[in-house]
Amino acid sequence: MDADRALLTPRGELVHGCADVLAGKLSRLPARTGRIDLDMSGVRFMDTAGLRFLDVLRAHGRLRSVPVTATGWTGQPRRILTLVGLDPTDPLRPPGREGTPTPATTPVAEAAAKRPPAREEEVERLRASIAARPAVDRARGLLMTAHGCDSDTAWQILRETAHLSGTPLHTVAAAVTAEVDRSGPRAPEEVRKALATALARRLRAPRA
């Protein structure tokens, strides 16, 4: 708190349950709170639950009659806001008009209705990527355990394997999971070769 201003700084990922966490935090703010600002620069990933997060923030501002902002978006979360038609510098503002939306609408709903048809294919790819995230995270965790590497290195191994084999990342993740924990059918030959190359490059001991 800074006088009557509340500054919230979310960190990590906006996924299922994040809107409930925000609602709980907002309900515990002091009664004197006259403004709520969220610094989103520490958020590195969000799925569609992140949009519900924004709706909860906006609804709280309307209920308490206090201004609310969510600024500082970067990376993948900023890209999602752009894809769904929200302004990443001020995603709580209704697109294409000034003022406050009617209670029956939200910035997310209005943005979806106004989204250009040309973006639909990219939005669908984004949805598919988000749906595949749990498999990718599992494969990354298995690589970290099996090879003693950190999260960033495991991610680079997956990315490089996908690039070298010409295989989608979610397919590589499934193949890596099968290869590392010996579950299910063996990974295709091209993926196994690409994985071996990526492991050799990323885990090579530094020279003295």
Side-chain angles (χ1 to χ4, degrees), residues 73-148:
W73 299 86
T74 62
Q76 185 263 9
R78 183 182 180 91
R79 182 57 179 158
I80 284 189
L81 294 179
T82 300
L83 282 176
V84 300
L86 295 176
D87 179 357
T89 65
D90 188 6
L92 297 177
R93 183 180 63 219
R97 78 176 193 210
E98 297 296 328
T100 304
T102 63
T105 64
T106 68
V108 172
E110 290 195 3
K114 295 172 180 289
R115 186 165 58 230
R119 282 189 173 172
E120 289 302 325
E121 184 177 345
E122 188 171 2
V123 170
E124 286 304 316
R125 288 198 300 269
L126 177 63
R127 287 173 179 157
S129 175
I130 289 173
R133 177 63 181 259
V136 173
D137 283 346
R138 173 165 168 72
R140 186 165 58 179
L142 287 170
L143 287 173
M144 292 167 64
T145 300
H147 300 284

Side-chain angles (χ1 to χ4, degrees), residues 6-27:
L7 174 64
L8 280 66
T9 55
R11 293 287 183 267
E13 303 182 350
L14 296 186
V15 291
H16 178 71
C18 66
D20 294 335
V21 173
L22 175 63
K25 175 64 70 173
L26 293 174
S27 70

Side-chain angles (χ1 to χ4, degrees), residues 18-64:
C18 66
D20 294 335
V21 173
L22 175 63
K25 175 64 70 173
L26 293 174
S27 70
R28 294 191 294 273
L29 289 177
R32 71 177 190 278
T33 303
R35 179 183 181 87
I36 303 170
D37 296 318
L38 271 68
D39 176 2
M40 309 300 295
S41 60
V43 175
R44 62 179 183 273
F45 173 86
M46 81 174 189
D47 60 16
T48 52
L51 302 180
R52 172 62 182 153
F53 182 92
L54 287 175
D55 283 342
V56 167
L57 178 59
R58 171 186 165 274
H60 183 86
R62 286 178 56 86
L63 180 65
R64 299 297 177 88

